Amino acid sequence: MKAHKNSKRTLIASLVIGAVACCGSAAFGQSMSDVQKVAKARGLSTADLMAAAKTFTPSGQKDEYIMFSSGGHSGQVFVIGVPSMRMLRSIAVFTPEPWQGWGYGVGEEILAEGYVDGKENLWGDTHHPALSETAGDYDGEWLFINDKINARIAVIDLRDFETKQIIKNPLTVSDHGGTFVTPNTEYVIEGGQYAVPWGFEYAPISEYKEKYKGSVTFWKFDRKKGRVDKTRSFAMELPPYWQDLSDAGKLVSDGFLFMNSINTELAVGGIQDKKPPFEAGVSKNATDYLHIIDWKKAERVFKAGKVEMIEDFPVITLATAIEEDLLHLTPEPRSPHGVDVAPKGDFIVISGKLDPHTTIYSFEKIKRAIASRDYSSHDEFGVPVLNFDSVVEAQVEVGLGPLHTQFGPDGYAYTSLFLDSAVARWTLGGSYGKGTPEPDWTLVHKTPVHYNVGHIGVAEGDTVSPDGKYLIAFNKWSVDRFFPPGPLLPQNFQLIDITESGTKMPVIYDMPIGVGEPHYAQIIKADKLNPWTVYPEIGWDPHTQSLDPQAPKAKMERVERKGDTVEVYMTAIRSHFNPEHITVKQGDKVVWRITNIERSIDATHGFAVPQYNINLSLEPGETAKVEFIADMPGTFPFYCSEFCSALHLEMVGYFMVEPK
Ligand code: CUK
Ligand code: CUA
């Protein structure tokens, strides 16, 4: 395998021979020279051929891993196979999405859960997906994701990959440090971001220090119900810093939450008045604060009722948090961004965007410092600040603009370098020491990526037992990597092979993402997922995940009028709707129930009604109910919007609205 270190444009015949032999391509009548010819014509190096061999996935072969990527401004989640980097589907979450019918007949009530005082917000800025965990390992049951712009979180059921719940944070306007889960998914964590007065109140920025608040919310997840239980959830007030990312402790640090912050300067901006802009004010200090939160203790304080109700939501005030020893701070270097807990829970890695080092804190030392009240100071709100030198284990110089860290199974850590446009591999020490050929706490290698990498994701990388194998760099800029589809360019997901140790860490695939700006993704072993391919029974309501007793059934199709309400009971099967004629009077309320009575995998039907803004996706077995007022008179051919069969174009009916 020495060959693929060589220059890009040389073909090494021995590798090509090897590739042909092991692929058995000769059986298709192709010879080594055919492969060589194609490679030469396309200008492919041996490294390119090797990358293709590692990622090419023949038709019918499935991926070893499934990646759940945030969809950025699309407000969706993307499901992508690894290593093929083929997109399998999007999951509509915070934004209406017509293919899935989300917001076009179904999902409206769930989307409305995210409104504030009934005011619509129909897009989301998704950042951090979190898979549910059992004992610190992904269990493949649930997925959570946050919406940064409107401080919302969503719950997705991984039986059908559909959004079941959206919950709006009652206290804060925007969020960022979420979603992250505790090791048994007891809580879904949502950290705030930009400090604001609680509950959408107005307060002039001159009252920033007194009226603006930081926060973290612990959403209790009820696995049986598959919903966040707001009545068992609580929040904790934090100083009005801008809390950024967070990560839950695990194993030895289970019960703790680590959260970093920027703007401990309490800068308020004001460039228009010739005051320092936020970007300068927020990064003035040499350090900000890592927040160390004892959430298990906080849970006890919440259960003991030591909370204040704010916006009808229980909040542990900052005073109580200090009094009960729930919150400690410790300095973290310049403009911290990522905070990541190592697989054994013993180290916490912080990156400062303006510091070339990663800083590694020891949980053991943090515990000791808390117990012995080893404080260097208190912040101006009275929160104890642990002595930096007492809690730091090591610092590793990795390069410029370090952001986020992930872990391999072998004692390697990986950090994204935004300014360097690279992914650094470095060695952990302590309990991971000697896991690598290189000395502890040293930079081993940097692989260039294209360009401006944000997060990175390693297969099973946030668990107590990372798989390694693949690392994906989620690059913000693609610049010259692809054909430019106008001035708005796609992001670039780059797949990196991390199976070998040392300096071998080649990029083996580029995947453009031309929908939103995804930030983060988690990557789970495909065999941990157990999705349905058809709904369990005909007449299944995906919202309740149970049989709907009202679902239309075969031979029971009908139209019933009850006063001004017309109820339609319709079925869909290749290639007709039944009934096909629906006549109502202008102004009638229409309750249209429809069941896809198919049992075959992939036999999805659509149901689209012109002018009425309706489109459903009815997967095999699914039932749905659409309600609307027939306020527009006319003749409306409704049709199936999924090409389901040879007679798909004939899968149609007429909806006729008689004028008043
Ligand atoms: S943030 Cu985007 S690169 Cu929202 Cu996780 Cu760091
Ligand atoms: Cu059913 Cu097309």
Side-chain angles (χ1 to χ4, degrees):
M1 288 305 122
K2 281 240 167 72
H4 83 266
K5 263 177 80 181
N6 290 353
S7 85
K8 284 231 160 127
R9 297 279 170 237
T10 48
L11 276 172
I12 304 288
S14 64
L15 180 85
V16 177
I17 294 165
V20 171
C22 81
C23 299
S25 305
F28 292 87
Q30 288 158 354
S31 67
M32 171 202 64
S33 65
D34 290 336
V35 176
Q36 253 179 325
K37 240 185 270 167
V38 172
K40 200 172 172 191
R42 299 194 65 220
L44 302 179
S45 67
T46 49
D48 297 334
L49 289 177
M50 180 53 91
K54 284 173 177 172
T55 56
F56 175 72
T57 306
S59 182
Q61 195 166 307
K62 293 180 185 144
D63 282 299
E64 188 182 356
Y65 292 95
I66 299 298
M67 171 158 75
F68 292 92
S69 162
S70 102
H73 324 60
S74 78
Q76 304 172 5
V77 166
F78 303 141
V79 185
I80 296 163
V82 178
S84 74
M85 303 301 278
R86 295 177 298 194
M87 177 145 156
L88 301 169
R89 74 169 276 190
S90 67
I91 302 172
V93 187
F94 297 108
T95 307
E97 199 288 306
W99 172 55
Q100 294 158 77
W102 191 246
Y104 297 93
V106 296
E108 279 87 347
E109 298 94 0
I110 298 176
L111 286 163
E113 289 169 20
Y115 299 169
V116 176
D117 296 333
K119 188 165 170 53
E120 281 187 356
N121 43 43
L122 285 175
W123 75 282
D125 183 15
T126 58
H127 275 233
H128 306 112
L131 287 155
S132 58
E133 295 181 11
T134 300
D137 250 318
Y138 302 148
D139 55 38
E141 292 186 359
W142 302 93
L143 181 76
F144 310 94
I145 191 154
N146 76 310
D147 164 29
K148 175 173 157 149
I149 184 68
N150 284 307
R152 296 179 292 180
I153 66 162
V155 179
I156 295 161
D157 190 334
L158 293 179
R159 285 173 292 184
D160 60 358
F161 287 48
E162 296 208 351
T163 302
K164 303 303 175 191
Q165 185 182 26
I166 290 174
I167 193 153
K168 170 75 193 99
N169 195 300
L171 300 170
T172 187
V173 176
S174 57
D175 72 19
H176 196 219
T179 52
F180 297 92
V181 298
T182 53
N184 285 299
T185 322
E186 297 95 336
Y187 289 98
V188 182
I189 292 153
E190 183 190 24
Q193 172 107 93
Y194 306 117
V196 282
W198 293 138
F200 304 88
E201 294 292 318
Y202 166 78
I205 200 143
S206 55
E207 296 172 14
Y208 183 90
K209 201 174 144 185
E210 301 74 40
K211 297 250 172 90
Y212 288 43
K213 310 281 184 191
S215 71
V216 56
T217 305
F218 295 88
W219 293 110
K220 180 79 194 164
F221 185 59
D222 184 332
R223 226 182 243 265
K224 259 207 202 115
K225 293 199 181 114
R227 298 288 188 277
V228 162
D229 184 348
K230 195 174 171 186
T231 65
R232 289 191 288 154
S233 305
F234 65 98
M236 186 191 281
E237 179 188 350
L238 299 173
Y241 309 141
W242 295 351
Q243 281 78 27
D244 201 30
L245 291 174
S246 51
D247 201 4
K250 50 191 145 200
L251 300 175
V252 294
S253 55
D254 187 12
F256 279 78
L257 172 70
F258 307 94
M259 177 175 261
N260 50 27
S261 61
I262 48 177
N263 199 17
T264 53
E265 296 86 349
L266 307 178
V268 294
I271 192 169
Q272 75 291 337
D273 298 325
K274 304 225 161 27
K275 297 205 177 110
F278 275 116
E279 62 167 322
V282 166
S283 47
K284 209 172 88 205
N285 291 353
T287 56
D288 288 288
Y289 289 129
L290 172 65
H291 296 45
I292 300 153
I293 297 167
D294 188 334
W295 69 258
K296 282 213 171 141
K297 219 188 224 179
E299 183 186 44
R300 290 197 291 274
V301 167
F302 157 60
K303 285 183 176 163
K306 291 184 204 162
V307 290
E308 243 178 56
M309 295 304 285
I310 300 170
E311 300 296 315
D312 287 328
F313 196 70
V315 179
I316 299 174
T317 62
L318 187 55
T320 305
I322 296 167
E323 200 179 286
E324 300 281 341
D325 236 16
L326 309 180
L327 173 66
H328 292 83
L329 305 173
T330 195
E332 49 183 2
R334 294 198 82 112
S335 291
H337 189 50
V339 50
D340 296 283
V341 178
K344 296 176 191 170
D346 47 358
F347 295 126
I348 300 106
V349 180
I350 297 281
S351 296
K353 291 170 296 207
L354 304 180
D355 180 311
H357 299 88
T358 54
T359 302
I360 300 97
Y361 298 77
S362 151
F363 182 68
E364 191 56 46
K365 291 181 179 176
I366 288 174
K367 259 195 333 196
R368 240 182 286 144
I370 291 174
S372 63
R373 303 190 168 263
D374 182 359
Y375 306 149
S376 54
S377 64
H378 287 74
D379 80 344
E380 57 185 301
F381 301 91
V383 186
V385 180
L386 302 177
N387 199 334
F388 180 72
D389 295 327
S390 306
V391 295
V392 166
E393 181 75 22
Q395 288 192 296
V396 180
E397 188 168 342
V398 287
L400 298 181
L403 296 185
H404 297 287
T405 298
Q406 287 270 292
F407 304 92
D410 42 18
Y412 282 133
Y414 301 87
T415 300
S416 56
L417 303 171
F418 180 80
L419 298 176
D420 271 353
S421 283
V423 175
R425 168 185 262 174
W426 51 280
T427 59
L428 293 162
S431 61
Y432 306 85
K434 309 282 166 284
T436 58
E438 301 84 2
D440 297 352
W441 309 119
T442 47
L443 175 68
V444 175
H445 175 71
K446 287 201 246 179
T447 290
V449 291
H450 313 91
Y451 299 89
N452 296 0
V453 56
H455 277 273
I456 51 177
V458 165
E460 302 256 329
D462 283 319
T463 70
V464 293
S465 55
D467 278 18
K469 286 193 181 183
Y470 299 108
L471 181 151
I472 294 156
F474 308 112
N475 304 315
K476 307 290 185 192
W477 286 28
S478 60
V479 191
D480 55 1
R481 295 293 103 173
F482 310 110
F483 172 82
L488 180 60
L489 301 189
Q491 280 68 235
N492 186 11
F493 283 8
Q494 281 187 311
L495 179 67
I496 298 176
D497 177 3
I498 55 166
T499 46
E500 290 185 66
S501 61
T503 58
K504 284 181 196 156
M505 250 177 73
V507 171
I508 55 173
Y509 199 84
D510 276 34
M511 178 198 191
I513 286 273
V515 195
E517 189 215 271
H519 283 251
Y520 186 47
Q522 286 192 330
I523 304 157
I524 183 174
K525 265 200 193 86
D527 62 13
K528 284 184 173 179
L529 296 165
N530 201 12
W532 294 329
T533 50
V534 296
Y535 278 106
E537 288 178 72
I538 291 175
W540 196 265
D541 175 357
H543 184 52
T544 59
Q545 293 292 37
S546 62
L547 260 188
D548 177 358
Q550 304 249 57
K553 296 180 184 66
K555 301 204 173 72
M556 309 275 281
E557 297 92 346
R558 63 198 185 277
V559 180
E560 285 174 3
R561 175 176 283 281
K562 291 175 183 160
D564 290 340
T565 301
V566 176
E567 294 190 358
V568 180
Y569 290 82
M570 176 179 272
T571 58
I573 190 166
R574 279 162 292 172
S575 302
H576 59 264
F577 294 108
N578 184 8
E580 290 183 331
H581 298 161
I582 310 292
T583 306
V584 303
K585 293 197 171 63
Q586 184 181 5
D588 280 343
K589 180 180 175 188
V590 181
V591 180
W592 202 311
R593 291 188 169 85
I594 176 165
T595 306
N596 176 347
I597 57 174
E598 303 266 4
R599 300 310 289 150
S600 313
I601 182 170
D602 214 357
T604 294
H605 296 289
F607 171 68
V609 186
Q611 282 305 321
Y612 278 90
N613 203 35
I614 291 167
N615 185 50
L616 303 181
S617 171
L618 297 158
E619 286 99 65
E622 178 172 354
T623 196
K625 182 176 85 171
V626 192
E627 292 187 19
F628 60 96
I629 303 293
D631 47 11
M632 184 178 190
T635 306
F636 304 96
F638 60 85
Y639 65 84
C640 169
S641 52
E642 279 276 330
F643 207 113
C644 53
S645 59
L647 296 175
H648 153 79
L649 291 176
E650 290 79 355
M651 192 164 174
V652 64
Y654 279 93
F655 175 51
M656 293 159 282
V657 183
E658 252 178 74
K660 257 189 190 146

